[in-house]
Amino acid sequence: MFPTPPDASHEAGLAHLNAFIPHAGADYARWRNHDFGPDGDNRVSGLSPWLRHRLLLEETAIDAAIDTHGLEGAEKYIQEVCWRTYWKGFMERRPVHWHDYRAACDEAHGQVARDGRLAADLQTALDGDTDIDAFNFWVHELRDTGYLHNHARMWFASIWVFTLELPWALGADFFLRHLLDGDPASNTLSWRWVAGLHTPGKPYIARSSNINKYTNGRFNPGYRINTQVAAPEGIERPPVGPSPLAVDWAVTPTTGLLITEDDLLPESLFGTRDWPLVIAVQSTDWRSSGSVADRVRDFAHAGLADALARNPGGRTIGRIDLATADGLTAVREAATAAGVDRLLTPYVPTGPTADAMAALDSVLAADGIERQAVPRDWDVLHWPAATHGFFRFWKAARPLIIERRSTLA
Ligand SMILES: Cc1cc2nc3c(=O)[nH]c(=O)nc-3n(C[C@H](O)[C@H](O)[C@H](O)COP(=O)(O)OP(=O)(O)OC[C@H]3O[C@@H](n4cnc5c(N)ncnc54)[C@H](O)[C@@H]3O)c2cc1C
């Protein structure tokens, strides 16, 4: 899979991509659903920690796959990368799903505090101590590596919701605290999809035969998994909001650069320049009200250090932890000391870092400092198509990829 712990640098992401690309064609299409375990010969890329933090861009992975296999030859892999773009766009156009998820976490914590039986069942699941050996294995795998194969995530979430009958939001929170690729859109919306809250009438039901086949016979949970699942009813669909548009931006002598863990490749957007100030801010602890795994925080921390090294500034301030009021104030003080009245940053999509940015904006505004967020062309181009299901999105995304490639040629 990836070295443990994976190196959170752009260079390491590219090296990992280059090593994977020969397998991004037929090999990936044939074997991507198989989970041979953490030490097995899995054929998926393991690139998600870099893609999630934009230490690698979606288009870099897609272009590399097309260069080697052609669009049709690598179509399955490209579609999977586009699932990420789709979920990001879907969430951006319905941020209420993020806020509802946070509210559902709070509500579930309240339920757990009141209900001793639920609290005990939750602890049993989080300890990997249930009577389902496959589930227990995945709990430990996630805690030990920060990664689970996509199919294992689907089985895990389905068992959590329909067999263990635990609140889905607490399962999503467990993932977000432990996954190195923990992403507010992909994670929240995938959990909603499994629970039957995304596609009405279609919850994802894990089955023993499927687990047995795709784990290469490692697990056979049999009757312990509940497959008699009633689809939730009365699901409300929030209205679809706008997608961010391209913005005009310019750099003046009083413009600084703000780097967040949601986009660690700002030089590919703004170019490498002589910034009067470069600040990297860490917001990992905003991912959950619970404790985020050290491995996850360390990955984001190292990624920010890598981004700072690639974007030196007149006064590079280093990493500031936004989890505290001191962190927010430190950004304002650094900007004021450097005579900066505007901080340019790659657009921060809905999620914990955007929540942190909202808190930062009000602190900056007190000193008349503006934060300008610049969306990337990839997102501006593709997110408008995230209106319905993935396959409608893909119908729009595929020609956009072809068109984009023709303008590059
Ligand atoms: C319940 C659940 C929770 C999930 N939580 C996250 C999450 O927090 N962060 C996250 O990045 N992905 C999440 N996924 C999606 C998917 O499982 C991971 O992206 C994938 O397993 C990452 O491994 P990989 O890089 O080896 O994938 P590959 O199979 O090599 O796929 C290539 C890339 O495409 C993207 N991708 C693939 N499948 C999906 C998908 N279904 N949705 C979105 N992007 C995808 C990833 O960026 C991945 O690196 C979740 C899926 C489920 C079912």
Side-chain angles (χ1 to χ4, degrees), residues 224-242:
R224 291 187 188 83
I225 296 187
N226 176 27
T227 54
Q228 304 304 308
V229 172
E233 288 175 4
I235 297 156
E236 286 178 24
R237 288 182 167 278
V240 181

Side-chain angles (χ1 to χ4, degrees), residues 28 44-48 51 77 80-81 83-84 87 147-148 150 153-154 157 175 179 181-183 186-187 190-191:
Y28 180 84
V44 289
S45 70
L47 281 164
S48 51
L51 287 165
Y77 173 68
E80 293 307 309
V81 177
W83 265 99
R84 175 184 156 76
W87 285 136
Y147 179 83
L148 282 181
N150 180 57
R153 297 183 199 204
M154 291 161 62
F175 269 26
L179 282 171
D181 64 28
D183 181 89
S186 296
N187 190 55
S190 296
W191 273 86

Side-chain angles (χ1 to χ4, degrees), residues 28-214:
Y28 180 84
R30 169 144 194 228
W31 294 106
R32 73 191 174 87
N33 281 325
H34 285 77
D35 177 7
F36 295 108
D39 301 319
D41 185 18
N42 287 329
R43 304 300 172 87
V44 289
S45 70
L47 281 164
S48 51
W50 289 277
L51 287 165
R52 184 267 178 246
H53 297 92
R54 286 209 150 148
L55 274 164
L56 270 185
L57 304 177
E58 284 110 306
E59 55 267 48
T60 306
I62 288 173
D63 284 342
I66 296 177
D67 288 346
T68 302
H69 302 280
L71 177 52
E72 277 167 28
E75 191 145 347
K76 243 326 146 216
Y77 173 68
I78 294 165
Q79 275 186 357
E80 293 307 309
V81 177
C82 282
W83 265 99
R84 175 184 156 76
T85 307
Y86 166 69
W87 285 136
K88 295 302 285 182
F90 196 94
M91 180 64 98
E92 212 49 37
R93 307 198 59 186
R94 302 162 189 80
V96 66
H97 286 316
W98 172 249
H99 303 298
D100 283 357
Y101 155 68
R102 295 300 273 239
C105 284
D106 291 345
E107 194 184 318
H109 283 305
Q111 248 179 302
V112 170
R114 291 189 301 274
D115 180 342
R117 172 88 191 268
L118 178 62
D121 289 350
L122 175 65
Q123 201 53 52
T124 302
L126 294 176
D127 290 345
D129 205 14
T130 70
D131 64 353
I132 304 167
D133 59 350
F135 181 88
N136 298 340
F137 185 90
W138 296 320
V139 169
H140 294 295
E141 183 181 350
L142 176 57
R143 285 185 184 277
D144 293 347
T145 68
Y147 179 83
L148 282 181
H149 185 283
N150 180 57
H151 226 156
R153 297 183 199 204
M154 291 161 62
W155 298 318
F156 183 114
S158 181
I159 293 169
W160 179 282
V161 176
F162 301 120
T163 300
L164 303 176
E165 298 184 338
L166 294 167
W168 74 269
L170 295 188
D173 177 65
F174 180 55
F175 269 26
L176 208 51
R177 290 187 293 114
H178 288 277
L179 282 171
L180 285 171
D181 64 28
D183 181 89
S186 296
N187 190 55
T188 311
L189 297 171
S190 296
W191 273 86
R192 286 180 57 86
W193 174 79
V194 168
L197 302 172
H198 183 74
T199 317
K202 288 195 180 162
Y204 173 73
I205 305 170
R207 294 184 192 280
S208 190
S209 55
N210 183 267
I211 294 175
N212 190 250
K213 175 176 173 187
Y214 287 103

